[in-house]
């Protein structure tokens, strides 16, 4: 810490960022916020991500929302999935859906998974299935597991076994447990 503070005194503006990351790791969020605001003032708009992340960790959703909106206003479409997660956490499902769809339109393939989770928690299983299938096509292990879970809950055990097996082969422990349960129950 002292080294970075000394570097800042000597005019090294980059040290604000390193100090912010250090404070963030130490969960000293007020200090981290101050450092990231300095980084932004010095022209590094990428620090908005750091700032938004510490707001999310502290569940300061209004501040996080404003931060990620600024990211988008600066022309960076990578803020959409973060807004989707903020709205999802706040149970603003329509807004979350809009943000995840915008993320997908802008090439964010991970947003398929998040949208699948959103639909799943709204009991829109057909839509969730479609999103998880797209996420699985992009290699998302959790999507394979969630497909297995949907099919398991629908008593479609052969389909469930197929997706649990894929997820298990990719290292998903819970999927392996369900897969073994289905094998023991006679679903070959």
């Amino acid at each position: 810490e002292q080294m970075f503070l000394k570097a800042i005194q000597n005019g090294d503006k980059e040290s604000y960022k390193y100090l912010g990351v250090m404070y963030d790791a130490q969960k000293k969020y007020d200090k981290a916020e101050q450092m990231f605001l300095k980084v932004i003032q010095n022209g590094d708009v990428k620090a908005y991500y750091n700032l938004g992340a510490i707001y999310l960790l502290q569940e300061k959703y209004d501040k996080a929302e404003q931060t990620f909106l600024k990211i988008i206003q600066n022309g960076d479409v990578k803020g959409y999935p973060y807004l989707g997660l903020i709205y999802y956490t706040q149970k603003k499902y329509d807004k979350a859906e809009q943000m995840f769809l915008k993320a997908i339109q802008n090439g964010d393939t991970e947003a398929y998974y998040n949208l699948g989770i959103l639909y799943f928690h709204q009991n829109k299983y057909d839509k969730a299935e479609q999103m998880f299938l797209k996420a699985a096509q992009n290699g998302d292990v959790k999507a394979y597991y969630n497909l297995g879970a949907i099919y398991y809950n629908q008593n479609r055990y052969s389909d469930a076994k197929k997706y649990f097996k894929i997820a298990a082969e990719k290292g998903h422990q819970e999927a392996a447990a369900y897969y073994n349960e289905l094998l023991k129950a006679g679903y070959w």
Side-chain angles (χ1 to χ4, degrees), residues 107-122:
D108 184 337
T109 57
E110 291 179 25
Y112 285 116
Y113 176 79
N114 292 327
L115 192 53
I117 291 292
L118 173 69
Y119 290 145
F120 184 85
H121 286 278
Q122 293 179 300

mmCIF file of all heavy atoms in Angstrom, residues 107-122:
data_model
loop_
_atom_site.group_PDB
_atom_site.id
_atom_site.type_symbol
_atom_site.label_atom_id
_atom_site.label_comp_id
_atom_site.label_asym_id
_atom_site.label_seq_id
_atom_site.Cartn_x
_atom_site.Cartn_y
_atom_site.Cartn_z
ATOM 1 N N GLY A 107 -23.525 -10.079 -29.243
ATOM 2 C CA GLY A 107 -22.531 -11.138 -29.327
ATOM 3 C C GLY A 107 -22.112 -11.788 -28.031
ATOM 4 O O GLY A 107 -21.177 -12.589 -28.017
ATOM 5 N N ASP A 108 -22.784 -11.487 -26.937
ATOM 6 C CA ASP A 108 -22.429 -12.085 -25.645
ATOM 7 C C ASP A 108 -23.122 -13.437 -25.514
ATOM 8 O O ASP A 108 -24.295 -13.511 -25.155
ATOM 9 C CB ASP A 108 -22.833 -11.157 -24.503
ATOM 10 C CG ASP A 108 -22.403 -11.667 -23.144
ATOM 11 O OD1 ASP A 108 -22.187 -12.884 -22.981
ATOM 12 O OD2 ASP A 108 -22.286 -10.846 -22.226
ATOM 13 N N THR A 109 -22.397 -14.501 -25.791
ATOM 14 C CA THR A 109 -22.998 -15.839 -25.753
ATOM 15 C C THR A 109 -23.279 -16.312 -24.326
ATOM 16 O O THR A 109 -24.135 -17.172 -24.123
ATOM 17 C CB THR A 109 -22.103 -16.865 -26.476
ATOM 18 O OG1 THR A 109 -20.803 -16.855 -25.879
ATOM 19 C CG2 THR A 109 -21.994 -16.533 -27.962
ATOM 20 N N GLU A 110 -22.594 -15.761 -23.326
ATOM 21 C CA GLU A 110 -22.858 -16.142 -21.936
ATOM 22 C C GLU A 110 -24.240 -15.689 -21.485
ATOM 23 O O GLU A 110 -24.808 -16.242 -20.543
ATOM 24 C CB GLU A 110 -21.783 -15.572 -21.013
ATOM 25 C CG GLU A 110 -20.430 -16.215 -21.205
ATOM 26 C CD GLU A 110 -19.363 -15.621 -20.305
ATOM 27 O OE1 GLU A 110 -19.704 -15.077 -19.230
ATOM 28 O OE2 GLU A 110 -18.186 -15.706 -20.676
ATOM 29 N N ALA A 111 -24.774 -14.674 -22.149
ATOM 30 C CA ALA A 111 -26.090 -14.159 -21.775
ATOM 31 C C ALA A 111 -27.195 -15.185 -22.042
ATOM 32 O O ALA A 111 -28.262 -15.111 -21.430
ATOM 33 C CB ALA A 111 -26.374 -12.852 -22.504
ATOM 34 N N TYR A 112 -26.959 -16.148 -22.934
ATOM 35 C CA TYR A 112 -27.946 -17.203 -23.147
ATOM 36 C C TYR A 112 -28.199 -17.955 -21.841
ATOM 37 O O TYR A 112 -29.336 -18.262 -21.497
ATOM 38 C CB TYR A 112 -27.482 -18.210 -24.207
ATOM 39 C CG TYR A 112 -27.559 -17.715 -25.623
ATOM 40 C CD1 TYR A 112 -26.408 -17.565 -26.385
ATOM 41 C CD2 TYR A 112 -28.784 -17.428 -26.223
ATOM 42 C CE1 TYR A 112 -26.468 -17.125 -27.701
ATOM 43 C CE2 TYR A 112 -28.862 -16.993 -27.535
ATOM 44 C CZ TYR A 112 -27.694 -16.838 -28.264
ATOM 45 O OH TYR A 112 -27.775 -16.408 -29.562
ATOM 46 N N TYR A 113 -27.125 -18.258 -21.135
ATOM 47 C CA TYR A 113 -27.256 -18.979 -19.863
ATOM 48 C C TYR A 113 -28.045 -18.145 -18.857
ATOM 49 O O TYR A 113 -28.963 -18.630 -18.204
ATOM 50 C CB TYR A 113 -25.884 -19.349 -19.304
ATOM 51 C CG TYR A 113 -25.987 -20.006 -17.952
ATOM 52 C CD1 TYR A 113 -26.334 -21.345 -17.854
ATOM 53 C CD2 TYR A 113 -25.779 -19.289 -16.782
ATOM 54 C CE1 TYR A 113 -26.474 -21.956 -16.615
ATOM 55 C CE2 TYR A 113 -25.905 -19.886 -15.545
ATOM 56 C CZ TYR A 113 -26.253 -21.219 -15.463
ATOM 57 O OH TYR A 113 -26.402 -21.813 -14.236
ATOM 58 N N ASN A 114 -27.662 -16.867 -18.719
ATOM 59 C CA ASN A 114 -28.346 -16.005 -17.755
ATOM 60 C C ASN A 114 -29.827 -15.857 -18.086
ATOM 61 O O ASN A 114 -30.675 -15.863 -17.194
ATOM 62 C CB ASN A 114 -27.670 -14.636 -17.698
ATOM 63 C CG ASN A 114 -26.295 -14.713 -17.108
ATOM 64 O OD1 ASN A 114 -26.012 -15.519 -16.241
ATOM 65 N ND2 ASN A 114 -25.397 -13.872 -17.586
ATOM 66 N N LEU A 115 -30.130 -15.739 -19.361
ATOM 67 C CA LEU A 115 -31.522 -15.644 -19.780
ATOM 68 C C LEU A 115 -32.252 -16.958 -19.483
ATOM 69 O O LEU A 115 -33.415 -16.950 -19.062
ATOM 70 C CB LEU A 115 -31.605 -15.279 -21.266
ATOM 71 C CG LEU A 115 -32.957 -14.854 -21.806
ATOM 72 C CD1 LEU A 115 -33.581 -13.733 -20.993
ATOM 73 C CD2 LEU A 115 -32.812 -14.427 -23.268
ATOM 74 N N GLY A 116 -31.565 -18.071 -19.670
ATOM 75 C CA GLY A 116 -32.146 -19.368 -19.323
ATOM 76 C C GLY A 116 -32.489 -19.452 -17.846
ATOM 77 O O GLY A 116 -33.568 -19.934 -17.467
ATOM 78 N N ILE A 117 -31.608 -18.974 -16.999
ATOM 79 C CA ILE A 117 -31.863 -18.962 -15.550
ATOM 80 C C ILE A 117 -33.074 -18.081 -15.241
ATOM 81 O O ILE A 117 -33.942 -18.453 -14.452
ATOM 82 C CB ILE A 117 -30.612 -18.464 -14.781
ATOM 83 C CG1 ILE A 117 -29.481 -19.489 -14.864
ATOM 84 C CG2 ILE A 117 -30.951 -18.135 -13.328
ATOM 85 C CD1 ILE A 117 -29.733 -20.778 -14.122
ATOM 86 N N LEU A 118 -33.118 -16.919 -15.878
ATOM 87 C CA LEU A 118 -34.251 -16.017 -15.676
ATOM 88 C C LEU A 118 -35.560 -16.718 -16.024
ATOM 89 O O LEU A 118 -36.515 -16.704 -15.236
ATOM 90 C CB LEU A 118 -34.074 -14.758 -16.531
ATOM 91 C CG LEU A 118 -35.258 -13.789 -16.556
ATOM 92 C CD1 LEU A 118 -35.428 -13.113 -15.205
ATOM 93 C CD2 LEU A 118 -35.065 -12.760 -17.646
ATOM 94 N N TYR A 119 -35.607 -17.333 -17.199
ATOM 95 C CA TYR A 119 -36.825 -18.030 -17.618
ATOM 96 C C TYR A 119 -37.144 -19.206 -16.695
ATOM 97 O O TYR A 119 -38.300 -19.445 -16.355
ATOM 98 C CB TYR A 119 -36.704 -18.516 -19.062
ATOM 99 C CG TYR A 119 -36.715 -17.419 -20.093
ATOM 100 C CD1 TYR A 119 -35.944 -17.531 -21.243
ATOM 101 C CD2 TYR A 119 -37.491 -16.273 -19.948
ATOM 102 C CE1 TYR A 119 -35.946 -16.535 -22.220
ATOM 103 C CE2 TYR A 119 -37.506 -15.271 -20.904
ATOM 104 C CZ TYR A 119 -36.731 -15.406 -22.043
ATOM 105 O OH TYR A 119 -36.740 -14.428 -22.991
ATOM 106 N N PHE A 120 -36.123 -19.921 -16.281
ATOM 107 C CA PHE A 120 -36.322 -21.067 -15.385
ATOM 108 C C PHE A 120 -36.998 -20.620 -14.091
ATOM 109 O O PHE A 120 -37.945 -21.240 -13.626
ATOM 110 C CB PHE A 120 -34.978 -21.743 -15.094
ATOM 111 C CG PHE A 120 -35.104 -22.986 -14.265
ATOM 112 C CD1 PHE A 120 -35.373 -24.202 -14.871
ATOM 113 C CD2 PHE A 120 -34.954 -22.952 -12.894
ATOM 114 C CE1 PHE A 120 -35.489 -25.358 -14.119
ATOM 115 C CE2 PHE A 120 -35.075 -24.098 -12.132
ATOM 116 C CZ PHE A 120 -35.343 -25.305 -12.748
ATOM 117 N N HIS A 121 -36.519 -19.531 -13.518
ATOM 118 C CA HIS A 121 -37.079 -19.050 -12.248
ATOM 119 C C HIS A 121 -38.459 -18.420 -12.416
ATOM 120 O O HIS A 121 -39.161 -18.205 -11.429
ATOM 121 C CB HIS A 121 -36.106 -18.086 -11.563
ATOM 122 C CG HIS A 121 -34.948 -18.798 -10.970
ATOM 123 N ND1 HIS A 121 -34.996 -19.422 -9.745
ATOM 124 C CD2 HIS A 121 -33.710 -19.038 -11.448
ATOM 125 C CE1 HIS A 121 -33.847 -19.997 -9.486
ATOM 126 N NE2 HIS A 121 -33.039 -19.782 -10.509
ATOM 127 N N GLN A 122 -38.844 -18.185 -13.651
ATOM 128 C CA GLN A 122 -40.199 -17.703 -13.933
ATOM 129 C C GLN A 122 -41.098 -18.858 -14.387
ATOM 130 O O GLN A 122 -42.222 -18.623 -14.827
ATOM 131 C CB GLN A 122 -40.165 -16.630 -15.022
ATOM 132 C CG GLN A 122 -39.470 -15.355 -14.596
ATOM 133 C CD GLN A 122 -39.446 -14.350 -15.736
ATOM 134 O OE1 GLN A 122 -38.905 -14.595 -16.803
ATOM 135 N NE2 GLN A 122 -40.065 -13.208 -15.494
#
